[in-house]
Amino acid sequence: MIEIGILGAASIAKNRFLPALEHVPNVRCRHLAVREESERSLAMAKEFGLHVTTGYESLIDNPEVDALYLPLPPALHFEAAMAALEAGKHVFLEKPLTLNGEEARILLKRAQKKNLVVHENYMFLYHRQWTKLQQVWQDLAPGPLRLIRSSFCFPKRGPNDFRYQKDLGGGALLDAGGYVARAALDLLEDPKVLSAESFVDPQYGVDTYGTFTLSGTKGELFQGFYGMDNAYQCTLELHGARALLTTDRIYTSPPEHEARAVSSSPKGQEEVSLGADNAFAQSLAHFCTLMDAPALRLKHHQTLLRQQALLDELRAASKGNKPCRK
Ligand SMILES: NC(=O)c1ccc[n+]([C@@H]2O[C@H](COP(=O)([O-])OP(=O)(O)OC[C@H]3O[C@@H](n4cnc5c(N)ncnc54)[C@H](OP(=O)(O)O)[C@@H]3O)[C@@H](O)[C@H]2O)c1
């Protein structure tokens, strides 16, 4: 039984992490550490039977705990994850892994040295629709893949949300663009950045939307769009020479949602079920698998490093941000 503790009474911990635990038989959570006790942390503790302590160090240093879940604002990820590794704990880290590639390099090097896992929770990769979609695509005999388009955007959240605060690691590239970049990394071999643009809201001083184009080694293109002050979109489209496949809930499909895709090919148009899944539970189960699989763990850490480097490349290619259109 793996004992995992939580740092921070985050919404995602309450809404997704804790409910997912009942679907992962070898993991349990009995401890929550918070900066200060609050109504939210007390309610969470009551609902899930957690023991709450004040100060994150109280849990980082707790010898009963094997792993830590870190659903913190991005600017705190590196320091908290390093402290967890130093204390000998595996780290289940919310996305984005770190603020930049340099932090990721130091963190993952430390994890390798200590034989510990760092996992970034891009849970969509573990939802069954992700592999099913790729099977459906191959079955369509689509011919050469020419273009992938993907977007992940959501409407503006409250002004106090960390996503709009620069010093907490806010910004749409890290919060929403990371999903789209991670999808590109999984679907294309060695993607290269052709162009990128990001747009800043002067009220917050962070990028609120952006777009990029990548190319794969076989000449395929990937066009990404992301934003956190937009109409909701969560799409992936695969365009081949002879077929098209589209989905509309690729990154955030909740456990009760049956994911679907629509294909167009010479056979006509067809709607296909991609199934329902608890992607959070699958991501947690993968985290546990990595604990006892050093070769897989190394490969996993290398992919995380590449993901963070790709975000750095996108930021650099934006060549300074443009003001957003309001
Ligand atoms: N994988 C996914 O699908 C997914 C979805 C949503 C969010 N996320 C990620 O999960 C993380 C948390 O997101 P969330 O929306 O759940 O955030 P949230 O509700 O705002 O919670 C963030 C937590 O961070 C702690 N914190 C520590 N220092 C803080 C500071 N200076 N300001 C604000 N909070 C601070 C707080 O815990 P205490 O005060 O209780 O200690 C707070 O509860 C982020 O990295 C986000 O990108 C992932």
Side-chain angles (χ1 to χ4, degrees):
M1 182 60 74
I2 295 157
E3 185 78 48
I4 186 164
I6 312 172
L7 301 191
S11 325
I12 181 89
K14 175 179 184 294
N15 298 331
R16 300 298 295 270
F17 171 79
L18 287 160
L21 284 173
E22 68 180 86
H23 303 284
V24 194
N26 57 332
V27 184
R28 74 176 172 200
C29 178
R30 299 181 300 172
H31 299 275
L32 164 69
V34 290
R35 290 174 298 170
E36 278 177 25
E37 274 189 8
S38 60
E39 259 178 48
R40 177 152 97 156
S41 62
L42 292 175
M44 213 164 120
K46 194 169 169 206
E47 183 178 350
F48 293 96
L50 305 173
H51 175 65
V52 186
T53 49
T54 306
Y56 295 154
E57 332 70 61
S58 62
L59 195 48
I60 291 172
D61 296 334
N62 184 337
E64 281 179 29
V65 170
D66 309 299
L68 287 167
Y69 173 48
L70 273 49
L72 301 170
L76 309 183
H77 286 189
F78 175 69
E79 201 180 315
M82 284 296 279
L85 291 178
E86 290 313 326
K89 317 273 195 259
H90 298 285
V91 181
F92 188 74
L93 191 49
E94 267 307 339
K95 40 62 56 178
L97 185 77
T98 52
L99 293 182
N100 54 55
E102 182 56 11
E103 285 185 354
R105 193 186 60 73
I106 297 168
L107 182 68
L108 295 165
K109 192 171 167 196
R110 199 70 196 132
Q112 278 301 120
K113 183 109 198 229
K114 304 268 284 179
N115 291 320
L116 293 167
V117 179
V118 172
H119 178 64
E120 181 184 32
N121 189 31
Y122 276 120
M123 54 181 157
F124 73 91
L125 295 167
Y126 306 96
H127 191 292
R128 74 169 63 155
Q129 73 165 319
W130 191 246
T131 35
K132 178 87 193 285
L133 184 79
Q134 292 171 63
Q135 279 161 14
V136 170
W137 178 243
Q138 291 311 330
D139 293 347
L140 285 171
L145 175 64
R146 291 178 170 169
L147 173 70
I148 303 172
R149 274 202 204 127
S150 182
S151 58
F152 183 46
C153 297
F154 49 84
K156 193 139 148 203
R157 301 169 65 114
N160 295 328
D161 192 293
F162 71 82
R163 290 164 182 83
Y164 306 89
Q165 297 182 42
K166 203 177 170 89
D167 58 344
L168 290 179
L173 176 65
L174 283 178
D175 197 67
Y179 285 86
V180 185
R182 187 66 189 82
L185 209 53
D186 216 56
L187 297 171
L188 293 186
E189 199 184 312
D190 197 19
K192 295 275 182 290
V193 178
L194 296 182
S195 66
E197 299 275 8
S198 70
F199 298 82
V200 168
D201 187 331
Q203 187 185 346
Y204 302 109
V206 299
D207 56 310
T208 49
Y209 63 95
T211 179
F212 58 83
T213 305
L214 310 172
S215 68
T217 50
K218 299 180 191 111
E220 324 89 304
L221 292 175
F222 185 108
Q223 293 176 335
F225 181 53
Y226 57 89
M228 52 182 203
D229 184 8
N230 295 70
Y232 186 81
Q233 344 172 14
C234 194
T235 63
L236 183 76
E237 300 169 7
L238 302 173
H239 297 250
R242 284 176 284 286
L244 165 68
L245 189 62
T246 63
T247 69
D248 62 359
R249 202 71 198 269
I250 197 70
Y251 298 120
T252 57
S253 187
E256 64 283 359
H257 176 76
E258 190 182 326
R260 307 194 77 76
V262 175
S263 69
S264 297
S265 72
K267 288 183 216 151
Q269 207 175 59
E270 200 185 342
E271 190 169 293
V272 195
S273 167
L274 302 174
D277 204 1
N278 190 324
F280 210 117
Q282 300 285 10
S283 179
L284 255 171
H286 190 70
F287 171 62
C288 298
T289 303
L290 294 171
M291 291 177 190
D292 299 319
L296 207 59
R297 184 162 70 224
L298 174 62
K299 203 161 165 255
H300 186 77
H301 287 165
Q302 286 166 339
T303 307
L304 298 191
L305 198 53
R306 180 68 193 106
Q307 157 76 359
Q308 211 63 39
L310 182 56
L311 294 183
D312 280 3
E313 290 162 24
L314 290 172
R315 202 179 285 117
S318 313
K319 292 197 190 85
N321 299 296
K322 299 189 163 133
C324 69
R325 284 170 60 87
K326 283 224 183 192

